[in-house]
Amino acid sequence: MKQILNHARIVLADRVIENGALQIDIETGLIAAIHEQPLSEGENLAGALLLPGLVEIHTDNLEKHLMPRNGVLWPALPAVITHDAQCVAAGITTVLDALAVGDLEGESVRLDTLHSSFQAIDQGMREDALRADHLFHLRCELAYPGLLAELEPLIAHPAVKLVSVMDHTPGQRQYRDLAQYKKYYGKKKVGWNEDTFLAAVEERKAKQAEFAGRHKQAVVEMARARGIALASHDDTDEAHIAEALRDGVAISEFPTTLEAAQAARAHGLQTVMGAPNVVRGGSHSGNVAALELARHDLLDILSSDYVPASLLHGAWLLHAQAGWSLPRAVAAVSLNPARAVGLADRGNIAVGQRADLVAMTARGDVPLARSVWKLGVRVF
């Protein structure tokens, strides 16, 4: 049995079919045929763009649903279901939920909810309670003393598709500017003054010296043994890229400088930047702008990070403002992230691929996801 989506502008990997039709095999949920001309039957998409379902490999959007108000923890499964609904409404059909394993903050929603979140996502997928396809990205905070004990029960799960090594110690990488670090974290701390700030910095540097090196070696070995893709985080200079290469990293997440992005490109690493950076016109941390990297041909993948709706919006702006072709911009939020984490069955409108699809229109610079399908079933 076939489902037909008709009169669509179909965005393929290399071109756009201006008025075509797509056939979906309902039994398998795969794309069965692509037609260059409209057919006489099927659902009329009235010229909407038809894109592959978006693939998100780094979102911590779940955190705001786990703690909707400061100090208020929400039950994990309802939080996951709400997060999932936001993702699907934004056109995201595959989500790698980025769960932080460890945190340099003494008290954190991340520490409190890691295992309950992991279990709720797993339960939601097993019980068909979620509309998107959810997988795991484990973000390993290297200077966190309990990292390995927290990581070991999780990393063997078959839905873990990405592991990143992070170091948010002040004075380097994203926070090499201590004034920027103080500005960001000072908002979270009541009663911080210069003395407490400097004490926190020294404490975190001491933890880094004690734990980060051996933790990174252990994390890298665990990921490699299971064939899980590895990402570095907040690379700032060529030395960080060289370090990532020694570790077998294939993805550089959120490089903070043009220098780091150029080094990543030179050595074949995939570069991920935040779609909120594109939508806002720059980094909230004062780092290099994603659009600047796009214009230098140094951007491969966008991530919605903390705003699911930014992923489609960011891709549209790459097309509208950075001069990228529509297929190239769409690939940054579908094909490229899928392949980067080893997903060969999605991210592209092609015969035999999953019928994960988004029909979109636009109002100026704002794209609208009108309909979303996962495996040929409408989920939005």
Side-chain angles (χ1 to χ4, degrees), residues 49-83:
L49 283 165
L50 191 63
L51 320 178
L54 309 190
V55 178
E56 170 54 61
I57 64 172
H58 179 129
T59 176
D60 55 18
N61 177 65
L62 175 59
E63 292 178 2
K64 65 173 63 80
H65 299 294
L66 291 165
M67 186 176 283
R69 179 171 292 180
N70 190 33
V72 176
L73 283 181
W74 207 251
L77 184 57
V80 169
I81 290 171
T82 304
H83 157 64

PDB file of all heavy atoms in Angstrom, residues 49-83:
ATOM      1  N   LEU A  49       7.543  23.176   0.537  1.00  0.00           N
ATOM      2  CA  LEU A  49       8.820  22.467   0.475  1.00  0.00           C
ATOM      3  C   LEU A  49       8.712  21.165   1.259  1.00  0.00           C
ATOM      4  O   LEU A  49       8.196  21.153   2.385  1.00  0.00           O
ATOM      5  CB  LEU A  49       9.935  23.328   1.062  1.00  0.00           C
ATOM      6  CG  LEU A  49      10.460  24.461   0.185  1.00  0.00           C
ATOM      7  CD1 LEU A  49      11.270  25.435   1.024  1.00  0.00           C
ATOM      8  CD2 LEU A  49      11.316  23.912  -0.956  1.00  0.00           C
ATOM      9  N   LEU A  50       9.202  20.086   0.686  1.00  0.00           N
ATOM     10  CA  LEU A  50       9.232  18.804   1.379  1.00  0.00           C
ATOM     11  C   LEU A  50      10.686  18.465   1.671  1.00  0.00           C
ATOM     12  O   LEU A  50      11.495  18.283   0.747  1.00  0.00           O
ATOM     13  CB  LEU A  50       8.571  17.714   0.531  1.00  0.00           C
ATOM     14  CG  LEU A  50       8.303  16.389   1.236  1.00  0.00           C
ATOM     15  CD1 LEU A  50       7.320  16.573   2.393  1.00  0.00           C
ATOM     16  CD2 LEU A  50       7.758  15.349   0.254  1.00  0.00           C
ATOM     17  N   LEU A  51      11.023  18.418   2.951  1.00  0.00           N
ATOM     18  CA  LEU A  51      12.392  18.192   3.406  1.00  0.00           C
ATOM     19  C   LEU A  51      12.497  16.845   4.102  1.00  0.00           C
ATOM     20  O   LEU A  51      11.503  16.318   4.622  1.00  0.00           O
ATOM     21  CB  LEU A  51      12.815  19.269   4.416  1.00  0.00           C
ATOM     22  CG  LEU A  51      12.417  20.718   4.198  1.00  0.00           C
ATOM     23  CD1 LEU A  51      12.930  21.554   5.376  1.00  0.00           C
ATOM     24  CD2 LEU A  51      12.985  21.229   2.901  1.00  0.00           C
ATOM     25  N   PRO A  52      13.712  16.290   4.189  1.00  0.00           N
ATOM     26  CA  PRO A  52      13.891  15.148   5.086  1.00  0.00           C
ATOM     27  C   PRO A  52      13.676  15.594   6.527  1.00  0.00           C
ATOM     28  O   PRO A  52      13.920  16.750   6.873  1.00  0.00           O
ATOM     29  CB  PRO A  52      15.349  14.733   4.841  1.00  0.00           C
ATOM     30  CG  PRO A  52      16.006  15.935   4.264  1.00  0.00           C
ATOM     31  CD  PRO A  52      14.955  16.691   3.514  1.00  0.00           C
ATOM     32  N   GLY A  53      13.191  14.687   7.371  1.00  0.00           N
ATOM     33  CA  GLY A  53      13.044  15.014   8.779  1.00  0.00           C
ATOM     34  C   GLY A  53      14.365  15.480   9.364  1.00  0.00           C
ATOM     35  O   GLY A  53      15.436  14.945   9.044  1.00  0.00           O
ATOM     36  N   LEU A  54      14.319  16.489  10.225  1.00  0.00           N
ATOM     37  CA  LEU A  54      15.543  17.049  10.783  1.00  0.00           C
ATOM     38  C   LEU A  54      16.149  16.102  11.812  1.00  0.00           C
ATOM     39  O   LEU A  54      15.443  15.395  12.536  1.00  0.00           O
ATOM     40  CB  LEU A  54      15.254  18.405  11.422  1.00  0.00           C
ATOM     41  CG  LEU A  54      14.504  19.429  10.565  1.00  0.00           C
ATOM     42  CD1 LEU A  54      14.511  20.792  11.259  1.00  0.00           C
ATOM     43  CD2 LEU A  54      15.057  19.527   9.161  1.00  0.00           C
ATOM     44  N   VAL A  55      17.471  16.109  11.859  1.00  0.00           N
ATOM     45  CA  VAL A  55      18.225  15.236  12.773  1.00  0.00           C
ATOM     46  C   VAL A  55      19.005  16.130  13.733  1.00  0.00           C
ATOM     47  O   VAL A  55      19.882  16.897  13.321  1.00  0.00           O
ATOM     48  CB  VAL A  55      19.177  14.303  11.999  1.00  0.00           C
ATOM     49  CG1 VAL A  55      19.980  13.432  12.963  1.00  0.00           C
ATOM     50  CG2 VAL A  55      18.378  13.423  11.025  1.00  0.00           C
ATOM     51  N   GLU A  56      18.677  16.034  15.001  1.00  0.00           N
ATOM     52  CA  GLU A  56      19.271  16.869  16.051  1.00  0.00           C
ATOM     53  C   GLU A  56      20.228  16.016  16.881  1.00  0.00           C
ATOM     54  O   GLU A  56      19.808  15.031  17.493  1.00  0.00           O
ATOM     55  CB  GLU A  56      18.158  17.425  16.932  1.00  0.00           C
ATOM     56  CG  GLU A  56      18.630  18.104  18.201  1.00  0.00           C
ATOM     57  CD  GLU A  56      19.644  19.196  17.921  1.00  0.00           C
ATOM     58  OE1 GLU A  56      19.302  20.158  17.221  1.00  0.00           O
ATOM     59  OE2 GLU A  56      20.787  19.069  18.415  1.00  0.00           O
ATOM     60  N   ILE A  57      21.523  16.390  16.918  1.00  0.00           N
ATOM     61  CA  ILE A  57      22.481  15.544  17.628  1.00  0.00           C
ATOM     62  C   ILE A  57      22.955  16.125  18.957  1.00  0.00           C
ATOM     63  O   ILE A  57      23.747  15.487  19.655  1.00  0.00           O
ATOM     64  CB  ILE A  57      23.701  15.200  16.750  1.00  0.00           C
ATOM     65  CG1 ILE A  57      24.516  16.441  16.378  1.00  0.00           C
ATOM     66  CG2 ILE A  57      23.260  14.441  15.500  1.00  0.00           C
ATOM     67  CD1 ILE A  57      25.831  16.110  15.676  1.00  0.00           C
ATOM     68  N   HIS A  58      22.472  17.311  19.325  1.00  0.00           N
ATOM     69  CA  HIS A  58      22.908  17.882  20.614  1.00  0.00           C
ATOM     70  C   HIS A  58      21.846  18.856  21.118  1.00  0.00           C
ATOM     71  O   HIS A  58      21.916  20.055  20.844  1.00  0.00           O
ATOM     72  CB  HIS A  58      24.245  18.608  20.440  1.00  0.00           C
ATOM     73  CG  HIS A  58      24.767  19.236  21.694  1.00  0.00           C
ATOM     74  ND1 HIS A  58      26.050  19.041  22.151  1.00  0.00           N
ATOM     75  CD2 HIS A  58      24.187  20.053  22.612  1.00  0.00           C
ATOM     76  CE1 HIS A  58      26.233  19.720  23.273  1.00  0.00           C
ATOM     77  NE2 HIS A  58      25.106  20.348  23.574  1.00  0.00           N
ATOM     78  N   THR A  59      20.883  18.338  21.845  1.00  0.00           N
ATOM     79  CA  THR A  59      19.908  19.245  22.452  1.00  0.00           C
ATOM     80  C   THR A  59      19.786  18.963  23.943  1.00  0.00           C
ATOM     81  O   THR A  59      19.638  17.812  24.355  1.00  0.00           O
ATOM     82  CB  THR A  59      18.519  19.140  21.805  1.00  0.00           C
ATOM     83  OG1 THR A  59      17.614  19.996  22.520  1.00  0.00           O
ATOM     84  CG2 THR A  59      17.964  17.727  21.805  1.00  0.00           C
ATOM     85  N   ASP A  60      19.853  20.026  24.737  1.00  0.00           N
ATOM     86  CA  ASP A  60      19.585  19.901  26.164  1.00  0.00           C
ATOM     87  C   ASP A  60      18.271  20.595  26.514  1.00  0.00           C
ATOM     88  O   ASP A  60      18.051  20.990  27.666  1.00  0.00           O
ATOM     89  CB  ASP A  60      20.744  20.432  27.015  1.00  0.00           C
ATOM     90  CG  ASP A  60      21.133  21.869  26.672  1.00  0.00           C
ATOM     91  OD1 ASP A  60      20.325  22.568  26.037  1.00  0.00           O
ATOM     92  OD2 ASP A  60      22.241  22.281  27.037  1.00  0.00           O
ATOM     93  N   ASN A  61      17.398  20.716  25.514  1.00  0.00           N
ATOM     94  CA  ASN A  61      16.093  21.339  25.717  1.00  0.00           C
ATOM     95  C   ASN A  61      15.288  20.658  26.812  1.00  0.00           C
ATOM     96  O   ASN A  61      14.465  21.287  27.479  1.00  0.00           O
ATOM     97  CB  ASN A  61      15.313  21.303  24.400  1.00  0.00           C
ATOM     98  CG  ASN A  61      13.906  21.870  24.529  1.00  0.00           C
ATOM     99  OD1 ASN A  61      13.741  23.053  24.795  1.00  0.00           O
ATOM    100  ND2 ASN A  61      12.903  21.038  24.341  1.00  0.00           N
ATOM    101  N   LEU A  62      15.526  19.364  27.026  1.00  0.00           N
ATOM    102  CA  LEU A  62      14.784  18.621  28.054  1.00  0.00           C
ATOM    103  C   LEU A  62      14.950  19.253  29.433  1.00  0.00           C
ATOM    104  O   LEU A  62      14.022  19.214  30.255  1.00  0.00           O
ATOM    105  CB  LEU A  62      15.263  17.164  28.072  1.00  0.00           C
ATOM    106  CG  LEU A  62      14.685  16.259  29.159  1.00  0.00           C
ATOM    107  CD1 LEU A  62      13.167  16.172  29.075  1.00  0.00           C
ATOM    108  CD2 LEU A  62      15.309  14.865  29.072  1.00  0.00           C
ATOM    109  N   GLU A  63      16.102  19.855  29.697  1.00  0.00           N
ATOM    110  CA  GLU A  63      16.387  20.360  31.036  1.00  0.00           C
ATOM    111  C   GLU A  63      15.350  21.378  31.512  1.00  0.00           C
ATOM    112  O   GLU A  63      14.968  21.382  32.684  1.00  0.00           O
ATOM    113  CB  GLU A  63      17.786  20.972  31.091  1.00  0.00           C
ATOM    114  CG  GLU A  63      18.899  19.948  30.943  1.00  0.00           C
ATOM    115  CD  GLU A  63      20.277  20.582  30.949  1.00  0.00           C
ATOM    116  OE1 GLU A  63      20.376  21.816  31.098  1.00  0.00           O
ATOM    117  OE2 GLU A  63      21.260  19.847  30.789  1.00  0.00           O
ATOM    118  N   LYS A  64      14.888  22.244  30.604  1.00  0.00           N
ATOM    119  CA  LYS A  64      13.938  23.271  31.033  1.00  0.00           C
ATOM    120  C   LYS A  64      12.576  22.673  31.374  1.00  0.00           C
ATOM    121  O   LYS A  64      11.801  23.270  32.115  1.00  0.00           O
ATOM    122  CB  LYS A  64      13.798  24.358  29.964  1.00  0.00           C
ATOM    123  CG  LYS A  64      13.199  23.922  28.659  1.00  0.00           C
ATOM    124  CD  LYS A  64      12.952  25.110  27.725  1.00  0.00           C
ATOM    125  CE  LYS A  64      14.213  25.827  27.307  1.00  0.00           C
ATOM    126  NZ  LYS A  64      14.944  25.144  26.219  1.00  0.00           N
ATOM    127  N   HIS A  65      12.288  21.469  30.866  1.00  0.00           N
ATOM    128  CA  HIS A  65      11.029  20.799  31.207  1.00  0.00           C
ATOM    129  C   HIS A  65      11.176  19.957  32.484  1.00  0.00           C
ATOM    130  O   HIS A  65      10.188  19.707  33.173  1.00  0.00           O
ATOM    131  CB  HIS A  65      10.567  19.933  30.044  1.00  0.00           C
ATOM    132  CG  HIS A  65      10.314  20.729  28.803  1.00  0.00           C
ATOM    133  ND1 HIS A  65       9.300  21.660  28.713  1.00  0.00           N
ATOM    134  CD2 HIS A  65      10.965  20.770  27.611  1.00  0.00           C
ATOM    135  CE1 HIS A  65       9.322  22.222  27.529  1.00  0.00           C
ATOM    136  NE2 HIS A  65      10.332  21.712  26.847  1.00  0.00           N
ATOM    137  N   LEU A  66      12.405  19.551  32.773  1.00  0.00           N
ATOM    138  CA  LEU A  66      12.659  18.847  34.031  1.00  0.00           C
ATOM    139  C   LEU A  66      12.619  19.808  35.218  1.00  0.00           C
ATOM    140  O   LEU A  66      12.259  19.415  36.327  1.00  0.00           O
ATOM    141  CB  LEU A  66      14.018  18.152  33.975  1.00  0.00           C
ATOM    142  CG  LEU A  66      14.116  16.970  33.023  1.00  0.00           C
ATOM    143  CD1 LEU A  66      15.573  16.601  32.789  1.00  0.00           C
ATOM    144  CD2 LEU A  66      13.347  15.765  33.565  1.00  0.00           C
ATOM    145  N   MET A  67      12.996  21.065  34.986  1.00  0.00           N
ATOM    146  CA  MET A  67      12.919  22.086  36.025  1.00  0.00           C
ATOM    147  C   MET A  67      12.250  23.319  35.434  1.00  0.00           C
ATOM    148  O   MET A  67      12.906  24.284  35.045  1.00  0.00           O
ATOM    149  CB  MET A  67      14.295  22.426  36.591  1.00  0.00           C
ATOM    150  CG  MET A  67      14.229  23.378  37.784  1.00  0.00           C
ATOM    151  SD  MET A  67      15.856  23.700  38.552  1.00  0.00           S
ATOM    152  CE  MET A  67      16.092  22.182  39.475  1.00  0.00           C
ATOM    153  N   PRO A  68      10.910  23.304  35.314  1.00  0.00           N
ATOM    154  CA  PRO A  68      10.204  24.419  34.680  1.00  0.00           C
ATOM    155  C   PRO A  68      10.261  25.717  35.473  1.00  0.00           C
ATOM    156  O   PRO A  68      10.025  26.791  34.926  1.00  0.00           O
ATOM    157  CB  PRO A  68       8.773  23.901  34.553  1.00  0.00           C
ATOM    158  CG  PRO A  68       8.649  22.846  35.606  1.00  0.00           C
ATOM    159  CD  PRO A  68       9.992  22.221  35.715  1.00  0.00           C
ATOM    160  N   ARG A  69      10.540  25.608  36.745  1.00  0.00           N
ATOM    161  CA  ARG A  69      10.737  26.782  37.599  1.00  0.00           C
ATOM    162  C   ARG A  69      11.877  26.459  38.556  1.00  0.00           C
ATOM    163  O   ARG A  69      12.030  25.303  38.977  1.00  0.00           O
ATOM    164  CB  ARG A  69       9.446  27.122  38.352  1.00  0.00           C
ATOM    165  CG  ARG A  69       9.557  28.315  39.293  1.00  0.00           C
ATOM    166  CD  ARG A  69       8.201  28.734  39.827  1.00  0.00           C
ATOM    167  NE  ARG A  69       7.344  29.302  38.780  1.00  0.00           N
ATOM    168  CZ  ARG A  69       6.109  29.732  39.001  1.00  0.00           C
ATOM    169  NH1 ARG A  69       5.580  29.644  40.207  1.00  0.00           N
ATOM    170  NH2 ARG A  69       5.402  30.241  38.005  1.00  0.00           N
ATOM    171  N   ASN A  70      12.654  27.458  38.907  1.00  0.00           N
ATOM    172  CA  ASN A  70      13.818  27.222  39.752  1.00  0.00           C
ATOM    173  C   ASN A  70      13.433  26.481  41.022  1.00  0.00           C
ATOM    174  O   ASN A  70      12.561  26.918  41.776  1.00  0.00           O
ATOM    175  CB  ASN A  70      14.491  28.559  40.106  1.00  0.00           C
ATOM    176  CG  ASN A  70      15.838  28.350  40.765  1.00  0.00           C
ATOM    177  OD1 ASN A  70      16.545  27.396  40.461  1.00  0.00           O
ATOM    178  ND2 ASN A  70      16.192  29.234  41.675  1.00  0.00           N
ATOM    179  N   GLY A  71      14.091  25.339  41.240  1.00  0.00           N
ATOM    180  CA  GLY A  71      13.835  24.535  42.432  1.00  0.00           C
ATOM    181  C   GLY A  71      12.680  23.558  42.313  1.00  0.00           C
ATOM    182  O   GLY A  71      12.408  22.806  43.248  1.00  0.00           O
ATOM    183  N   VAL A  72      11.997  23.545  41.158  1.00  0.00           N
ATOM    184  CA  VAL A  72      10.841  22.666  40.959  1.00  0.00           C
ATOM    185  C   VAL A  72      11.215  21.568  39.973  1.00  0.00           C
ATOM    186  O   VAL A  72      11.425  21.832  38.790  1.00  0.00           O
ATOM    187  CB  VAL A  72       9.623  23.438  40.421  1.00  0.00           C
ATOM    188  CG1 VAL A  72       8.471  22.487  40.135  1.00  0.00           C
ATOM    189  CG2 VAL A  72       9.204  24.515  41.411  1.00  0.00           C
ATOM    190  N   LEU A  73      11.312  20.317  40.435  1.00  0.00           N
ATOM    191  CA  LEU A  73      11.588  19.193  39.551  1.00  0.00           C
ATOM    192  C   LEU A  73      10.274  18.598  39.065  1.00  0.00           C
ATOM    193  O   LEU A  73       9.369  18.324  39.865  1.00  0.00           O
ATOM    194  CB  LEU A  73      12.403  18.119  40.277  1.00  0.00           C
ATOM    195  CG  LEU A  73      13.895  18.407  40.470  1.00  0.00           C
ATOM    196  CD1 LEU A  73      14.563  17.245  41.190  1.00  0.00           C
ATOM    197  CD2 LEU A  73      14.569  18.651  39.126  1.00  0.00           C
ATOM    198  N   TRP A  74      10.174  18.384  37.766  1.00  0.00           N
ATOM    199  CA  TRP A  74       8.981  17.811  37.149  1.00  0.00           C
ATOM    200  C   TRP A  74       9.195  16.316  36.942  1.00  0.00           C
ATOM    201  O   TRP A  74      10.322  15.873  36.734  1.00  0.00           O
ATOM    202  CB  TRP A  74       8.730  18.487  35.804  1.00  0.00           C
ATOM    203  CG  TRP A  74       7.290  18.484  35.386  1.00  0.00           C
ATOM    204  CD1 TRP A  74       6.735  17.761  34.378  1.00  0.00           C
ATOM    205  CD2 TRP A  74       6.232  19.242  35.969  1.00  0.00           C
ATOM    206  NE1 TRP A  74       5.392  18.022  34.288  1.00  0.00           N
ATOM    207  CE2 TRP A  74       5.056  18.930  35.259  1.00  0.00           C
ATOM    208  CE3 TRP A  74       6.165  20.153  37.026  1.00  0.00           C
ATOM    209  CZ2 TRP A  74       3.819  19.502  35.559  1.00  0.00           C
ATOM    210  CZ3 TRP A  74       4.945  20.729  37.325  1.00  0.00           C
ATOM    211  CH2 TRP A  74       3.780  20.390  36.606  1.00  0.00           C
ATOM    212  N   PRO A  75       8.137  15.495  36.999  1.00  0.00           N
ATOM    213  CA  PRO A  75       8.309  14.063  36.732  1.00  0.00           C
ATOM    214  C   PRO A  75       8.947  13.840  35.364  1.00  0.00           C
ATOM    215  O   PRO A  75       8.627  14.523  34.392  1.00  0.00           O
ATOM    216  CB  PRO A  75       6.877  13.518  36.774  1.00  0.00           C
ATOM    217  CG  PRO A  75       6.134  14.496  37.625  1.00  0.00           C
ATOM    218  CD  PRO A  75       6.749  15.835  37.358  1.00  0.00           C
ATOM    219  N   ALA A  76       9.857  12.865  35.290  1.00  0.00           N
ATOM    220  CA  ALA A  76      10.710  12.739  34.106  1.00  0.00           C
ATOM    221  C   ALA A  76       9.946  12.382  32.841  1.00  0.00           C
ATOM    222  O   ALA A  76      10.159  12.997  31.788  1.00  0.00           O
ATOM    223  CB  ALA A  76      11.797  11.699  34.372  1.00  0.00           C
ATOM    224  N   LEU A  77       9.056  11.382  32.892  1.00  0.00           N
ATOM    225  CA  LEU A  77       8.390  10.971  31.656  1.00  0.00           C
ATOM    226  C   LEU A  77       7.495  12.075  31.090  1.00  0.00           C
ATOM    227  O   LEU A  77       7.559  12.352  29.878  1.00  0.00           O
ATOM    228  CB  LEU A  77       7.605   9.679  31.860  1.00  0.00           C
ATOM    229  CG  LEU A  77       6.951   9.111  30.591  1.00  0.00           C
ATOM    230  CD1 LEU A  77       7.990   8.860  29.499  1.00  0.00           C
ATOM    231  CD2 LEU A  77       6.195   7.820  30.910  1.00  0.00           C
ATOM    232  N   PRO A  78       6.662  12.745  31.883  1.00  0.00           N
ATOM    233  CA  PRO A  78       5.907  13.875  31.317  1.00  0.00           C
ATOM    234  C   PRO A  78       6.807  14.968  30.749  1.00  0.00           C
ATOM    235  O   PRO A  78       6.474  15.592  29.744  1.00  0.00           O
ATOM    236  CB  PRO A  78       5.089  14.385  32.512  1.00  0.00           C
ATOM    237  CG  PRO A  78       4.940  13.193  33.394  1.00  0.00           C
ATOM    238  CD  PRO A  78       6.230  12.441  33.255  1.00  0.00           C
ATOM    239  N   ALA A  79       7.949  15.204  31.390  1.00  0.00           N
ATOM    240  CA  ALA A  79       8.881  16.202  30.865  1.00  0.00           C
ATOM    241  C   ALA A  79       9.417  15.782  29.502  1.00  0.00           C
ATOM    242  O   ALA A  79       9.515  16.589  28.574  1.00  0.00           O
ATOM    243  CB  ALA A  79      10.028  16.412  31.846  1.00  0.00           C
ATOM    244  N   VAL A  80       9.760  14.505  29.376  1.00  0.00           N
ATOM    245  CA  VAL A  80      10.265  13.990  28.105  1.00  0.00           C
ATOM    246  C   VAL A  80       9.200  14.095  27.018  1.00  0.00           C
ATOM    247  O   VAL A  80       9.483  14.473  25.881  1.00  0.00           O
ATOM    248  CB  VAL A  80      10.743  12.534  28.264  1.00  0.00           C
ATOM    249  CG1 VAL A  80      11.018  11.895  26.900  1.00  0.00           C
ATOM    250  CG2 VAL A  80      11.996  12.472  29.121  1.00  0.00           C
ATOM    251  N   ILE A  81       7.952  13.779  27.346  1.00  0.00           N
ATOM    252  CA  ILE A  81       6.868  13.838  26.364  1.00  0.00           C
ATOM    253  C   ILE A  81       6.659  15.269  25.875  1.00  0.00           C
ATOM    254  O   ILE A  81       6.437  15.519  24.683  1.00  0.00           O
ATOM    255  CB  ILE A  81       5.578  13.252  26.970  1.00  0.00           C
ATOM    256  CG1 ILE A  81       5.734  11.732  27.134  1.00  0.00           C
ATOM    257  CG2 ILE A  81       4.367  13.567  26.108  1.00  0.00           C
ATOM    258  CD1 ILE A  81       4.620  11.076  27.927  1.00  0.00           C
ATOM    259  N   THR A  82       6.751  16.239  26.772  1.00  0.00           N
ATOM    260  CA  THR A  82       6.601  17.644  26.374  1.00  0.00           C
ATOM    261  C   THR A  82       7.766  18.091  25.495  1.00  0.00           C
ATOM    262  O   THR A  82       7.576  18.765  24.469  1.00  0.00           O
ATOM    263  CB  THR A  82       6.513  18.539  27.621  1.00  0.00           C
ATOM    264  OG1 THR A  82       5.440  18.084  28.445  1.00  0.00           O
ATOM    265  CG2 THR A  82       6.272  19.984  27.232  1.00  0.00           C
ATOM    266  N   HIS A  83       8.963  17.722  25.878  1.00  0.00           N
ATOM    267  CA  HIS A  83      10.158  18.009  25.073  1.00  0.00           C
ATOM    268  C   HIS A  83      10.023  17.390  23.682  1.00  0.00           C
ATOM    269  O   HIS A  83      10.296  18.039  22.658  1.00  0.00           O
ATOM    270  CB  HIS A  83      11.376  17.467  25.825  1.00  0.00           C
ATOM    271  CG  HIS A  83      12.577  17.178  24.999  1.00  0.00           C
ATOM    272  ND1 HIS A  83      13.271  18.148  24.312  1.00  0.00           N
ATOM    273  CD2 HIS A  83      13.229  15.997  24.754  1.00  0.00           C
ATOM    274  CE1 HIS A  83      14.301  17.591  23.693  1.00  0.00           C
ATOM    275  NE2 HIS A  83      14.287  16.301  23.929  1.00  0.00           N
TER     276      HIS A  83
END
